[in-house]
Amino acid sequence: MKKITFLLLLFITVSIAVFGAKPLTIINPPYELKKSGLYNVDKIELGTNETLVYLHISFCPHWWVSFTKPECIIDCKTGKKYEAVDLKGAKFDEKIWMPDSGDSTIVIVFPPLDKNVKKVDYNTEIFGISLEKNVPHVKVNKETPAKIKNWLNNQLNLYKPRQNDANSFFRPDTVHIVGYLNGYDKRFGFTSGMIQFSNAITNEPQTVLLKIAEDGKFEAHFPLAYPQYLGAVISNQYVPFYVEPGSTLSIGLNWSEFLVASRNPSRQYVFKNIHYTGLLEKLNTELNSVILNETENNKIEQYVNEKTPEIFKAEQLKDREKNLNLLEEARTKNSLSDKAVSILKNKISLQSGIMLFEYAIVKASKAMKSNNGNYKQVLPADYYDFTNLIPLNDKSMLINKEFSIFIHRFEHSEPFLAAPRKAMFKPGKDIYEYSLEKKNLLSASDLELISFVNRIKNNNDSVSALQKRATEISRFFERNKSMLEDYTKNYLSNQVGDMLFENNLKDWKLKDSVLLSKFGLQTNFVYETMKVRTLKSTFNQVQSDKIVNYWSKLKKGITDSLLVRVGSEYLNEKLQKTAPTAYALPDTTGTSILKKIIDPFKGKQLFISFWALNNSVSTRNITETKSRRDMYIGNRDFDFIFISEEQSAYQEDYDTFVKEQELAHSFRLTTDEFNYIRQLFAITSLPRDVIIDAKGNVKNDNFNINLFDLELDAFSK
């Protein structure tokens, strides 16, 4: 008997040694927190030869995810990483398409873990996953801690709005946004959000950083000219809010909703458990309670290809009516205030107008580039009469963020652009003639170069010929800077300014007639706002006191006293500022981040491009300037730097593009770092190109890429 028992034990021992012990299995393991709602660990099997992580994916149906070999689990105690060695149910670096349900499960194979590992992180997605059985799940405290409540109340009481005329819409003052993100943890990897908006009258964009503290408190303080319905982007989610100049608003959020929102990036998530506090609490709650049908701006090209103008317009007006009916139902059901209804009605009108304008703009663009007869089909004579459905005399249209997009589409619509072109400017004396007058100040080589440029300026191959002598031309500008400044002053600045002002006034007379003949509209607040908005571009082109005379003539066609006042204040402010051609970077976090990148290039002028791989204009600019950049590889005087955000592209796609375009000095920043850079240069859209001079000062913080060749040839001017 003893012999049999001994043999049985021996058999079991050998079996375990040969076949391995049964793996320890943890079903639905508890975790401390998650950064994303896409992934959930259903099960972990801890074997002697491998560790299996059963990962459940919840995402948009028919969208895809992929996994790379750097996938890892990390021992929370020691920081030791265990990198994935295999996938079951998928392959590394290949797309895993979601089924109709949007749910899928894969198994990630990791090496066996050390015996003393009790808790792990899965990448930077799920933190504190317990590997012990019978450990209770972490209970999430949904209540706002007393300490946070006291801070929020103090903030609401600290900033008291100044007394304003209740009828004054345009009353610039500071806005204070404070709030709490329940469930936030610094391990998520971000400490900021971003608020972007613009003064649609003066056409000035603003970028404001929303700072998030370790305990989840957040705040932002910024000037605002008039009431606006804005939003903050936090962890890729849009958090809406309505504010007025001088107001303080508290916003309460819960991280659990961000997890839900992350599973469907195809649509803007509507927060259901957002809590507003302050004088504007009721209005914000009302605005957030109404869910309207979204417009599909991303399908405009598809609609241009598939739908006639008549059908598209009819469908858009029908969608507009549906949204108005939804709003009316919400008004009755929830007793919405008149102010909330007015804001949302304008939002509906603006969204509809944007879609109809964009259809016409895209169609016109395709007609120029294609022989397809469908694109060249003329729009119906009454196509633009949809503008009569929009309250263009209502100043409160400015409240909605869509207004800036709408007015931009309006002022660039085909009827206005089809007006006759301006006369081309010709200086009284060209640079060649002027240089000959000053030949006693020039060397023989300078005169030869000027003669060369004059000979080939009208040749078909003039660009390539100039490129071959680009360095000489650059040195010419450097040596003769004083003479060229005199020429600019005497033959360009004054004459260009006079002609620009004259042409602009003629243009507006033409547009006045187009407004009536093509749109069937009388002058109105939105149209007159378009006139004020041109002050920015006009002043940037010609910084001359003569612009005051231009404004005195232009404002005769503006009947709204608010717009006249705002335009005059804007112009006076600009004329009083005598900013230097270059300015020092301010002492900010954004500057510190940028200097870590640019300090190794001290003594060189830097062309810095802030870009994104998912932005077609960014990639086109980089691609189109490659041949020009290639000519200056290794140049001792200037260099090129490319900066993007990590989340704008997958690493593999980013690496491929950078290699193809030979972007030698390319840098990827975290979302936080890029947010600080956005704030530094007030970047509201990409791409943005900035020039830093050899002394480290900002030479141009909004460089026009169309002047790239000119700046390269004369960068030291």
Side-chain angles (χ1 to χ4, degrees), residues 243-311:
V243 283
E244 296 175 357
S247 65
T248 301
L249 181 68
S250 171
I251 305 174
L253 300 165
N254 198 295
W255 184 249
S256 60
E257 282 209 89
F258 283 79
L259 297 180
V260 175
S262 65
R263 295 173 192 149
N264 189 357
S266 64
R267 304 182 72 84
Q268 180 177 311
Y269 180 78
V270 179
F271 286 87
K272 301 174 180 61
N273 296 313
I274 186 170
H275 300 287
Y276 302 99
T277 311
L279 296 178
L280 297 172
E281 172 183 341
K282 183 177 183 296
L283 180 55
N284 271 283
T285 302
E286 288 180 337
L287 291 171
N288 193 61
S289 69
V290 181
I291 301 177
L292 301 171
N293 296 323
E294 294 183 15
T295 54
E296 297 179 313
N297 301 67
N298 60 327
K299 293 185 177 180
I300 284 292
E301 287 209 24
Q302 178 184 333
Y303 294 148
V304 170
N305 292 336
E306 298 176 355
K307 301 177 187 294
T308 65
E310 292 85 354
I311 291 175

Side-chain angles (χ1 to χ4, degrees), residues 198-204 403-409 411-412 508 526-538 551 554 558 570:
S198 68
N199 181 329
I201 299 178
T202 59
N203 198 18
E204 293 179 298
F403 180 81
S404 291
I405 303 172
F406 173 83
I407 194 169
H408 182 267
R409 301 297 186 269
E411 58 197 358
H412 289 88
W508 281 115
V526 174
Y527 177 69
E528 292 179 358
T529 298
M530 288 165 51
K531 293 184 176 182
V532 178
R533 284 161 61 88
T534 62
L535 283 177
K536 178 183 177 181
S537 59
T538 304
W551 170 239
L554 180 64
I558 301 175
Y570 172 80

Side-chain angles (χ1 to χ4, degrees), residues 2-32:
K2 289 182 179 179
K3 187 176 181 181
I4 295 174
T5 303
F6 173 76
L7 290 173
L8 180 60
L9 289 173
L10 181 62
F11 175 76
I12 293 172
T13 303
V14 172
S15 297
I16 291 173
V18 174
F19 300 106
K22 183 179 180 182
L24 174 65
T25 301
I26 302 103
I27 306 294
N28 190 23
Y31 60 87
E32 294 173 6

Side-chain angles (χ1 to χ4, degrees), residues 170 172 199 202 204 206 223 225 535 539-540 543 545 547-548 551 565-579:
F170 197 88
N199 181 329
T202 59
E204 293 179 298
Q206 298 292 324
L535 283 177
F539 184 81
N540 288 342
Q543 297 189 17
D545 290 343
I547 198 171
V548 175
W551 170 239
R565 176 167 64 85
V566 171
S568 297
E569 289 175 354
Y570 172 80
L571 203 57
N572 288 335
E573 179 186 353
K574 291 297 181 183
L575 287 171
Q576 288 171 13
K577 287 184 178 179
T578 55

Side-chain angles (χ1 to χ4, degrees), residues 475-486:
R475 297 286 181 262
F476 171 83
F477 282 127
E478 185 176 7
R479 288 192 300 271
N480 301 289
K481 185 176 181 180
S482 177
M483 184 195 78
L484 293 169
E485 286 177 347
D486 287 342

